[in-house]
Amino acid sequence: MRKLYILGTFLILSTTLFAQTGKISGKIIDLSSGQVLASATITLIEKSQTQPADQNGGFTFARLAAGKYSLRCSYAGYKEKIIEDIEVKDNDNTSITISLEQQKLGEVVIASVRVKAAGENVSSLLIAQKNNSSVSDGISAETIKRTPDRTTGDVLKRVSGASIQDDRFAIIRGLNDRYNAAFINGAPLPSTESDRKAFAFDIIPSAILDNLIIYKTATPDKSGDFAGGIIDITTKSTSPKNFTSISFGTSFNSLLTGNARFFSENKGKKDWIGIDDGTRAIPSELPVSLNGLSTAQKAEAAKQFSNYKWGIQKRITQPNYNLQLSKGFSIQRKQKELIGALLSFNYTRNFTFNPGQRGTYDYDSDPNSPLQQRNNYSDSTYNEEVVLAALANISVKVNNRNSFSWKNNFSINTDNKLIKRLGPPDFTTDPIFFTNDRVRWFTSNQIFSSQLSGDHLVGSKKTKINWLGSYSKVIREIPNLSRTSYLGTPPSFSAFFPTGQPNPIVGSGTMLFTRSDENIKSLKAEITQPYTLMKNTQNSIKIGGGYQTRSRDFTTRLLGFAPYNSNGLTFDNSLLNLPEDQIFLPAHLGKMKNGMGGFLLEEGFIANSNYKASSDLAHGYLMSDQRFFKKFRLIYGVRVERFNQKLNTVNVGPGAAPKISIDTKVTDVLPSVNFVYALTNKMNVRLSYSQTINRPEFRELAPYLFFDYVGQYSIEGDTSLQRAEIKNYDFRYEFFPGKAQLFSVSVFYKEFKKPIEIIFIPGTTNQAAYANATSGKVYGVEAEFRTLLSTLIGIKNESSFLTKFTLSANAALMESSVKLGTVGLFDLSRFDADRFLQGQSPYLINGSLGYNDDKAGVSVTFSANRVGDRLFIAGIKDETADIYEKARTVLDFQLTKSFMKNALEIKFNARDILAQDISFYSDFDLSKSFTMRDKFFSTYKAPKVFSVSLTCKF
């Protein structure tokens, strides 16, 4: 903390070095198309300063004394406009977007168009929303600020047609995470999960977001690997003003704060920043394999873990807290911005507790037969979450035609879980015989992403060249997932050790180590050439291409203690009655002082659990954006993607499975067409058709069986998995009445060929696999509106109190069906399909009511989110039931008050006020909803979270 105080003092003092002046910056766009007008002329009237707009239509007037100013903007073929009453404040930036209207043929314009600055910004926001080239929805930094959202995962819930699973994985239009692509600042993000194709959006703090857009229809210049949506995250860019911001917040968890929490005694010195310092790691002196060692050598090897602690500690839980430091500055040359930079640091530490129940039942197709319960566990999951994120962005504006930017993001997200489980493992054999387990599960995700980009305007024909080079690295590590397991009749328990090799599913003293290292390098460039067609200058053709290479090295190792009962030694059975903090003490490892055997170390074997994988993707595209008769717009073209994917397993140990080698090459031609008809200046009708694909992830191909202790099921990859092919059809009507209000209705239909799903394997118990279904279809309707309450009830008075209230809502209603295929040797096509596509939700609803008074510095927001029962894992007809995630409603509240001309801000949040249980159930009656016959697979309590934060800006 001392270092943080020094850093904060330095940032505050450095701010005072800048002069107390302000500036005006912004960009110039075409009123009808929203395209930027490079080289437009902009004049600061009061100072008689004139400059041309840059290649992005941007301009800046710096070192201005506080006061009101006017701008005159002109461009050949457009009506001149004067924007008045632009207010400049000391050490602040006033941003404005100016829209110019084209002159009609033969029209002579004598006087300039005069408008007020406030009205101009509102009008320009409408233009930007109305002129997107594809069907998309998004959320801005200003809107994010008015919600209690802490992570990007929370933010996604606010976007039309989007929801979040497990507080981190995106569901777009009801399609699960694997059908969505994630990008940050235009560069691809890899999967953060070792066992699914998904990005954990809770890794990225919402505080560093500038905006988030979900593209729901394809255009040739976007990736073709998606079906639900492309989630494009833009972090805050360089700052247009000099500032320092310090924020500190704390929160109260209704289930845990002030109460006792339990955690593993095995902790490292770097846990507070989310990194294991080696405390949990495999000792460096341990051989790379124990296979071939004698029992005496294995007994000596066990002593390498003498420092590992198996005890459980108890402590009163302190409040959660978070800290954010931000610094922005810019350097001008000749009163124009030359260099801009934004630095940000975020640190969050949260403690959570989820108590719950878990049980399984034997399937019975007879609706009149009682269901036999197989097991019933009481779970207590304690977690310490650490999020550390740093951002460093720099831009250099060489001149009005050339600019460069370098954006860097680094984040660490760590879950340090302790799971306590108690209950009968099998009611059918002995309902009073219990298992008593403790699982210590430390998971660390580290992500580094860096992008270098350039924007250039070339020649007299205003040719635009954009390029982007990026590098991303993801390290996901479980340094030691350890378990102690006791069996018996309460209160008498004894430690359980299965015979043979350590088992990843049951047994005491097991330790699983996994690590995934992934690297992504990519380079892309595009050239955009505007041209005139039918006297319309707002046409362009774009050609581009790129290359991406990706590699992953995934390793696992399973070790476990076992009784030392050979070489003339007799195992000391009294050790089995010792508690978990004493059973594996150093004195009990190897040969003990009493001459009896303690514990030795055994090597476990998980087939195909180690693999190396890589992929190379080359793409090229041609895209045309044409306008006809002012009301018609056609965006069309084709994208070609050449994909080569390789995976090689690295199997070790006696009896290891044969090595598996995969090398696939596929070329996809992906056409797309987006048609826009402007009914009026405020209304659009959109039609879209596209072809996209969905490729299998490395983990989904690797035939590695991983046991999810929380979910109580195993999941395995499939080497024969193929890419899914999707045809997408979209229709949207959208209305922009002004003042940032909107109304839209969308209808979509998707056809899948060989969709990839997670389903239970026939003839097994709680064992799932990735598989291709034969075909599937998804269709639905989305609706969204955002309006002022004054508009809703017909009040036109701009000063009305109701103009400060904004009501917004979006909803989606979806249906899907799937035709089954094969899973391994099992042909499922004989079963009639009567279920959703795996991961599908039937509906979702988002709504909010906000009050904002800029003069008083008060903002209040109520928001709600509900997602319908979602198919979690698909069952097998007449063998296993489908497992659904039960619908729940989330209600949030936020109150913000600013003081001292917005230099000080206090924010109060209440998250998940209803705190409805998080439940999964087995759908035994095939009703796709929870009924009397259905049984809970798991149900956990959710907490209410109340927080308060203080932000100071200098």
PDB file of all heavy atoms in Angstrom, residues 44 75 110 175 206 232 311 364 393 442 559 573 618 659 673 685 727 811 908:
ATOM      1  N   LEU A  44     -11.993  27.922 -35.923  1.00  0.00           N
ATOM      2  CA  LEU A  44     -12.367  28.420 -34.609  1.00  0.00           C
ATOM      3  C   LEU A  44     -12.542  29.934 -34.768  1.00  0.00           C
ATOM      4  O   LEU A  44     -11.561  30.681 -34.893  1.00  0.00           O
ATOM      5  CB  LEU A  44     -11.284  28.104 -33.580  1.00  0.00           C
ATOM      6  CG  LEU A  44     -11.566  28.524 -32.141  1.00  0.00           C
ATOM      7  CD1 LEU A  44     -12.775  27.795 -31.579  1.00  0.00           C
ATOM      8  CD2 LEU A  44     -10.335  28.268 -31.273  1.00  0.00           C
ATOM      9  N   TYR A  75     -17.147  21.952 -46.464  1.00  0.00           N
ATOM     10  CA  TYR A  75     -16.597  20.876 -47.278  1.00  0.00           C
ATOM     11  C   TYR A  75     -17.221  20.991 -48.663  1.00  0.00           C
ATOM     12  O   TYR A  75     -18.416  21.299 -48.779  1.00  0.00           O
ATOM     13  CB  TYR A  75     -16.916  19.509 -46.656  1.00  0.00           C
ATOM     14  CG  TYR A  75     -16.178  18.350 -47.265  1.00  0.00           C
ATOM     15  CD1 TYR A  75     -14.818  18.158 -47.034  1.00  0.00           C
ATOM     16  CD2 TYR A  75     -16.843  17.417 -48.055  1.00  0.00           C
ATOM     17  CE1 TYR A  75     -14.133  17.085 -47.583  1.00  0.00           C
ATOM     18  CE2 TYR A  75     -16.177  16.328 -48.597  1.00  0.00           C
ATOM     19  CZ  TYR A  75     -14.821  16.169 -48.366  1.00  0.00           C
ATOM     20  OH  TYR A  75     -14.144  15.098 -48.904  1.00  0.00           O
ATOM     21  N   ILE A 110     -26.718  30.383 -49.632  1.00  0.00           N
ATOM     22  CA  ILE A 110     -26.214  31.721 -49.334  1.00  0.00           C
ATOM     23  C   ILE A 110     -25.754  31.825 -47.893  1.00  0.00           C
ATOM     24  O   ILE A 110     -24.673  32.316 -47.593  1.00  0.00           O
ATOM     25  CB  ILE A 110     -27.298  32.783 -49.630  1.00  0.00           C
ATOM     26  CG1 ILE A 110     -27.679  32.722 -51.111  1.00  0.00           C
ATOM     27  CG2 ILE A 110     -26.809  34.167 -49.246  1.00  0.00           C
ATOM     28  CD1 ILE A 110     -28.798  33.667 -51.493  1.00  0.00           C
ATOM     29  N   LEU A 175     -27.602 -18.823 -28.370  1.00  0.00           N
ATOM     30  CA  LEU A 175     -26.574 -19.779 -28.766  1.00  0.00           C
ATOM     31  C   LEU A 175     -25.424 -19.729 -27.768  1.00  0.00           C
ATOM     32  O   LEU A 175     -24.977 -18.650 -27.373  1.00  0.00           O
ATOM     33  CB  LEU A 175     -26.058 -19.459 -30.171  1.00  0.00           C
ATOM     34  CG  LEU A 175     -27.105 -19.606 -31.281  1.00  0.00           C
ATOM     35  CD1 LEU A 175     -26.573 -19.047 -32.590  1.00  0.00           C
ATOM     36  CD2 LEU A 175     -27.481 -21.068 -31.458  1.00  0.00           C
ATOM     37  N   SER A 206     -14.832  -3.760 -16.251  1.00  0.00           N
ATOM     38  CA  SER A 206     -15.655  -2.838 -17.042  1.00  0.00           C
ATOM     39  C   SER A 206     -15.063  -1.431 -17.053  1.00  0.00           C
ATOM     40  O   SER A 206     -15.345  -0.640 -17.955  1.00  0.00           O
ATOM     41  CB  SER A 206     -17.085  -2.806 -16.494  1.00  0.00           C
ATOM     42  OG  SER A 206     -17.095  -2.337 -15.154  1.00  0.00           O
ATOM     43  N   ASP A 232     -17.034  -7.456 -29.912  1.00  0.00           N
ATOM     44  CA  ASP A 232     -15.880  -6.601 -30.161  1.00  0.00           C
ATOM     45  C   ASP A 232     -15.710  -5.635 -28.988  1.00  0.00           C
ATOM     46  O   ASP A 232     -16.519  -4.719 -28.798  1.00  0.00           O
ATOM     47  CB  ASP A 232     -16.068  -5.832 -31.470  1.00  0.00           C
ATOM     48  CG  ASP A 232     -14.775  -5.202 -31.956  1.00  0.00           C
ATOM     49  OD1 ASP A 232     -13.764  -5.315 -31.243  1.00  0.00           O
ATOM     50  OD2 ASP A 232     -14.771  -4.594 -33.041  1.00  0.00           O
ATOM     51  N   GLY A 311      -4.164 -28.764   5.599  1.00  0.00           N
ATOM     52  CA  GLY A 311      -5.153 -28.305   6.562  1.00  0.00           C
ATOM     53  C   GLY A 311      -6.095 -27.250   5.996  1.00  0.00           C
ATOM     54  O   GLY A 311      -5.857 -26.648   4.938  1.00  0.00           O
ATOM     55  N   ASP A 364     -35.921 -43.085 -15.419  1.00  0.00           N
ATOM     56  CA  ASP A 364     -37.023 -44.032 -15.594  1.00  0.00           C
ATOM     57  C   ASP A 364     -38.027 -43.406 -16.551  1.00  0.00           C
ATOM     58  O   ASP A 364     -38.592 -42.344 -16.254  1.00  0.00           O
ATOM     59  CB  ASP A 364     -37.693 -44.343 -14.250  1.00  0.00           C
ATOM     60  CG  ASP A 364     -38.581 -45.594 -14.330  1.00  0.00           C
ATOM     61  OD1 ASP A 364     -39.205 -45.807 -15.397  1.00  0.00           O
ATOM     62  OD2 ASP A 364     -38.648 -46.331 -13.335  1.00  0.00           O
ATOM     63  N   ASN A 393      -2.100   2.554 -23.316  1.00  0.00           N
ATOM     64  CA  ASN A 393      -2.371   2.873 -24.712  1.00  0.00           C
ATOM     65  C   ASN A 393      -1.680   4.172 -25.096  1.00  0.00           C
ATOM     66  O   ASN A 393      -1.731   5.155 -24.351  1.00  0.00           O
ATOM     67  CB  ASN A 393      -3.878   3.012 -24.955  1.00  0.00           C
ATOM     68  CG  ASN A 393      -4.605   1.685 -24.804  1.00  0.00           C
ATOM     69  OD1 ASN A 393      -3.994   0.632 -24.866  1.00  0.00           O
ATOM     70  ND2 ASN A 393      -5.903   1.743 -24.604  1.00  0.00           N
ATOM     71  N   PHE A 442      -7.121 -24.090  -7.094  1.00  0.00           N
ATOM     72  CA  PHE A 442      -6.548 -22.787  -7.435  1.00  0.00           C
ATOM     73  C   PHE A 442      -6.400 -22.710  -8.957  1.00  0.00           C
ATOM     74  O   PHE A 442      -5.720 -23.537  -9.563  1.00  0.00           O
ATOM     75  CB  PHE A 442      -5.189 -22.632  -6.747  1.00  0.00           C
ATOM     76  CG  PHE A 442      -4.526 -21.289  -6.950  1.00  0.00           C
ATOM     77  CD1 PHE A 442      -4.663 -20.288  -5.998  1.00  0.00           C
ATOM     78  CD2 PHE A 442      -3.753 -21.027  -8.075  1.00  0.00           C
ATOM     79  CE1 PHE A 442      -4.036 -19.051  -6.163  1.00  0.00           C
ATOM     80  CE2 PHE A 442      -3.137 -19.803  -8.255  1.00  0.00           C
ATOM     81  CZ  PHE A 442      -3.278 -18.810  -7.299  1.00  0.00           C
ATOM     82  N   LEU A 559      -0.785 -36.983  -9.622  1.00  0.00           N
ATOM     83  CA  LEU A 559      -0.030 -37.678  -8.587  1.00  0.00           C
ATOM     84  C   LEU A 559      -0.945 -37.951  -7.402  1.00  0.00           C
ATOM     85  O   LEU A 559      -1.964 -37.278  -7.225  1.00  0.00           O
ATOM     86  CB  LEU A 559       1.170 -36.842  -8.138  1.00  0.00           C
ATOM     87  CG  LEU A 559       2.218 -36.500  -9.203  1.00  0.00           C
ATOM     88  CD1 LEU A 559       3.212 -35.475  -8.659  1.00  0.00           C
ATOM     89  CD2 LEU A 559       2.954 -37.755  -9.666  1.00  0.00           C
ATOM     90  N   ASN A 573      -2.382 -48.523   9.637  1.00  0.00           N
ATOM     91  CA  ASN A 573      -3.774 -48.193   9.357  1.00  0.00           C
ATOM     92  C   ASN A 573      -4.330 -47.103  10.258  1.00  0.00           C
ATOM     93  O   ASN A 573      -5.361 -46.506   9.952  1.00  0.00           O
ATOM     94  CB  ASN A 573      -4.645 -49.448   9.471  1.00  0.00           C
ATOM     95  CG  ASN A 573      -4.481 -50.359   8.274  1.00  0.00           C
ATOM     96  OD1 ASN A 573      -4.904 -50.048   7.167  1.00  0.00           O
ATOM     97  ND2 ASN A 573      -3.830 -51.489   8.500  1.00  0.00           N
ATOM     98  N   ALA A 618      -5.473 -18.178 -42.883  1.00  0.00           N
ATOM     99  CA  ALA A 618      -5.232 -17.103 -43.852  1.00  0.00           C
ATOM    100  C   ALA A 618      -6.573 -16.677 -44.421  1.00  0.00           C
ATOM    101  O   ALA A 618      -7.424 -17.529 -44.729  1.00  0.00           O
ATOM    102  CB  ALA A 618      -4.304 -17.580 -44.961  1.00  0.00           C
ATOM    103  N   LYS A 659      -0.547 -42.705 -29.706  1.00  0.00           N
ATOM    104  CA  LYS A 659      -0.551 -41.280 -29.964  1.00  0.00           C
ATOM    105  C   LYS A 659      -1.546 -40.940 -31.069  1.00  0.00           C
ATOM    106  O   LYS A 659      -1.734 -41.705 -32.009  1.00  0.00           O
ATOM    107  CB  LYS A 659       0.845 -40.802 -30.352  1.00  0.00           C
ATOM    108  CG  LYS A 659       1.844 -40.863 -29.203  1.00  0.00           C
ATOM    109  CD  LYS A 659       3.187 -40.266 -29.600  1.00  0.00           C
ATOM    110  CE  LYS A 659       4.155 -40.285 -28.422  1.00  0.00           C
ATOM    111  NZ  LYS A 659       5.473 -39.698 -28.786  1.00  0.00           N
ATOM    112  N   VAL A 673     -24.456 -10.602 -47.728  1.00  0.00           N
ATOM    113  CA  VAL A 673     -25.150  -9.461 -48.321  1.00  0.00           C
ATOM    114  C   VAL A 673     -25.951  -8.776 -47.227  1.00  0.00           C
ATOM    115  O   VAL A 673     -26.709  -9.422 -46.492  1.00  0.00           O
ATOM    116  CB  VAL A 673     -26.106  -9.896 -49.457  1.00  0.00           C
ATOM    117  CG1 VAL A 673     -26.820  -8.679 -50.030  1.00  0.00           C
ATOM    118  CG2 VAL A 673     -25.348 -10.630 -50.548  1.00  0.00           C
ATOM    119  N   VAL A 685     -34.884  -0.188 -42.788  1.00  0.00           N
ATOM    120  CA  VAL A 685     -35.241  -1.598 -42.895  1.00  0.00           C
ATOM    121  C   VAL A 685     -33.990  -2.321 -43.376  1.00  0.00           C
ATOM    122  O   VAL A 685     -33.360  -1.914 -44.356  1.00  0.00           O
ATOM    123  CB  VAL A 685     -36.399  -1.834 -43.880  1.00  0.00           C
ATOM    124  CG1 VAL A 685     -36.599  -3.325 -44.106  1.00  0.00           C
ATOM    125  CG2 VAL A 685     -37.685  -1.225 -43.343  1.00  0.00           C
ATOM    126  N   LYS A 727     -26.015 -21.109 -42.192  1.00  0.00           N
ATOM    127  CA  LYS A 727     -26.618 -20.114 -43.063  1.00  0.00           C
ATOM    128  C   LYS A 727     -27.471 -19.191 -42.195  1.00  0.00           C
ATOM    129  O   LYS A 727     -28.282 -19.662 -41.389  1.00  0.00           O
ATOM    130  CB  LYS A 727     -27.469 -20.767 -44.146  1.00  0.00           C
ATOM    131  CG  LYS A 727     -26.652 -21.580 -45.160  1.00  0.00           C
ATOM    132  CD  LYS A 727     -27.541 -22.169 -46.246  1.00  0.00           C
ATOM    133  CE  LYS A 727     -26.702 -22.938 -47.265  1.00  0.00           C
ATOM    134  NZ  LYS A 727     -27.558 -23.516 -48.346  1.00  0.00           N
ATOM    135  N   ALA A 811     -35.701  -7.588 -25.442  1.00  0.00           N
ATOM    136  CA  ALA A 811     -36.148  -8.949 -25.193  1.00  0.00           C
ATOM    137  C   ALA A 811     -35.936  -9.785 -26.442  1.00  0.00           C
ATOM    138  O   ALA A 811     -35.915  -9.263 -27.568  1.00  0.00           O
ATOM    139  CB  ALA A 811     -37.627  -8.976 -24.788  1.00  0.00           C
ATOM    140  N   PHE A 908     -23.105   4.144  -5.088  1.00  0.00           N
ATOM    141  CA  PHE A 908     -23.628   3.028  -4.287  1.00  0.00           C
ATOM    142  C   PHE A 908     -24.305   2.039  -5.221  1.00  0.00           C
ATOM    143  O   PHE A 908     -25.119   2.414  -6.078  1.00  0.00           O
ATOM    144  CB  PHE A 908     -24.631   3.519  -3.242  1.00  0.00           C
ATOM    145  CG  PHE A 908     -25.379   2.401  -2.566  1.00  0.00           C
ATOM    146  CD1 PHE A 908     -24.776   1.632  -1.582  1.00  0.00           C
ATOM    147  CD2 PHE A 908     -26.686   2.102  -2.941  1.00  0.00           C
ATOM    148  CE1 PHE A 908     -25.463   0.591  -0.969  1.00  0.00           C
ATOM    149  CE2 PHE A 908     -27.379   1.064  -2.340  1.00  0.00           C
ATOM    150  CZ  PHE A 908     -26.765   0.304  -1.348  1.00  0.00           C
TER     151      PHE A 908
END
